[in-house]
Amino acid sequence: ELRGEEGARERASGECGRDVVAGGGAGDYLAPWWATWLHGLPHLSLNLQAVPSAFRPRDADYQQSLLFLALLGAVFLGLNLIFLGIYLICVCCCKKEEETETKRPNSCCITWTAVVAGLICCAAVGIGFYGNSETNDGVYQLIYALDNANHTLSGIDSLVSDTTTKMKIALEQHLARLNEIFATRGDYVQTLKFLQQMADNIVLQLSGLPVWGDMTVDLSQVASEVSYVEYYRWLSYLLLFILNLVICLIACLGLAKHSKCLLIMILCCGLFTLILSWASFAVDVSAAVGTSDFCVAPDKFIINMTKSDLSAEIVQYYLYCTQSPTNPFQQALTIYQRSLTTMQIQIQGLMQFAVPLFPTAEVNDIALYHVIGIDFNLSYLKTHQSSCQGILVETCSL
């Protein structure tokens, strides 16, 4: 029963990882039924005082509520050992003399009972193997989502940085050269000053976009730490299940051969495994309740974690993925696009009317036009900043 419960909890954890990753916008997200049920369990501190069930891993009272659930496993372990000790004392001290003909039936009854119990334990271990695999699969889907989110956000930072550099360095160099060439024509110089103002405006709009690299939460580091912990969690549970399976098989062998040495060794190993099983049960319960508290309302935790780095409007926009008029990037990107279009028109005018009068300006005009002609960057930036479809899954999977 114990291994079956652990397997069910591990399987539920794996489902959580997939449900969150596969979920759509926060408005469409529904927590799994098991998460809602575990979230509704009483959360008590070590002083037996009720505490809020919201996911708050950094708060002491919430940590105590999870520790209290883990201590229940220690209580059950103590009761289990007490009952087992009472049973062994009764068997050793209260054994009555029986007739020779009645010993064999009792021995067969005990043997078959032990065999059935061993088969049930093997089945429970099989469920545990399945649950461990499902948990591992769900966690690695979460890691994959974190890596994708980090890759997308890093790409946005790189794109904004490259565009700003082009506007500040490359554009200014060509404008300075054209200023020297057009020094005798005041109208052309005014056009160049207008282009510089447009470039400064673009840099200003880009500087208003969030810099994801400055966030205190490093998604790549989180993914690396989760992967490290998950590997050893999966390995430890795998070894525990294998140990349980070996003990069950050796116990059956000892009963078949009527070997007291084997049975005594299995009894000692069984006690050790019993302690490990209840310890893993305590960890499973705490982890399952903590995971369910997060899965019930992941958006609130994410907003609280990022409030010092990003405005709530931007975080809510990516979480809820609403295409409403309150898009926090729409104004900046619209001005950005209009400024680029205006600059391209002005440069085309210079190439049409100024180049025939100043042939040496042609090279700089063409280079300037190529610097401005970053339509691909603009479309990519608008896709990932103004529309949240690109990183919705990765954001919600946190």
Side-chain angles (χ1 to χ4, degrees), residues 58 212-219 221-222 305-306 308-309:
R58 296 182 179 178
W212 305 101
D214 293 341
M215 293 181 60
T216 56
V217 180
D218 187 355
L219 296 182
Q221 182 179 359
V222 172
M305 285 290 294
T306 57
S308 61
D309 303 309

Side-chain angles (χ1 to χ4, degrees), residues 87-277:
Y87 173 77
L88 293 176
I89 292 174
C90 291
V91 170
C92 294
C93 300
C94 301
K95 186 177 181 180
K96 298 180 179 179
E97 295 293 336
E98 297 177 346
E99 298 294 335
T100 305
E101 55 269 32
T102 61
K103 287 183 179 179
R104 187 173 184 81
N106 289 338
S107 177
C108 291
C109 181
I110 294 175
T111 300
W112 281 107
T113 302
V115 170
V116 172
L119 293 176
I120 294 175
C121 290
C122 291
V125 169
I127 296 175
F129 276 118
Y130 174 76
N132 191 41
S133 176
E134 290 291 293
T135 302
N136 184 259
D137 181 55
V139 171
Y140 274 101
Q141 288 191 40
L142 174 62
I143 295 171
Y144 176 77
L146 290 173
D147 287 334
N148 279 348
N150 182 69
H151 176 74
T152 302
L153 298 178
S154 299
I156 293 173
D157 281 348
S158 177
L159 178 60
V160 172
S161 177
D162 292 345
T163 305
T164 303
T165 302
K166 286 183 179 180
M167 290 296 169
K168 285 185 176 180
I169 300 178
L171 185 66
E172 290 183 359
Q173 291 177 352
H174 293 294
L175 288 177
R177 177 58 180 160
L178 288 174
N179 266 314
E180 296 176 0
I181 297 175
F182 297 149
T184 59
R185 292 295 301 266
D187 52 345
Y188 293 160
V189 172
Q190 286 298 119
T191 301
L192 295 178
K193 290 182 179 180
F194 179 73
L195 290 175
Q196 184 63 57
Q197 292 176 355
M198 290 292 100
D200 294 339
N201 190 30
I202 288 175
V203 173
L204 179 62
Q205 297 302 323
L206 292 179
S207 64
L209 298 177
V211 180
W212 305 101
D214 293 341
M215 293 181 60
T216 56
V217 180
D218 187 355
L219 296 182
S220 61
Q221 182 179 359
V222 172
S224 177
E225 292 176 353
V226 171
S227 177
Y228 178 82
V229 173
E230 170 58 20
Y231 172 75
Y232 286 101
R233 185 213 63 81
W234 171 82
L235 182 61
S236 61
Y237 273 95
L238 183 65
L239 295 177
L240 178 61
F241 293 143
I242 292 176
L243 178 61
N244 288 336
L245 188 61
V246 170
I247 290 176
C248 291
L249 294 178
I250 296 179
C252 293
L253 180 63
L255 289 173
K257 293 189 173 183
H258 300 284
S259 174
K260 292 185 178 180
C261 294
L262 279 178
L263 294 177
I264 293 174
M265 182 184 67
I266 292 304
L267 179 61
C268 296
C269 294
L271 289 175
F272 176 71
T273 306
L274 182 65
I275 296 174
L276 291 180
S277 298

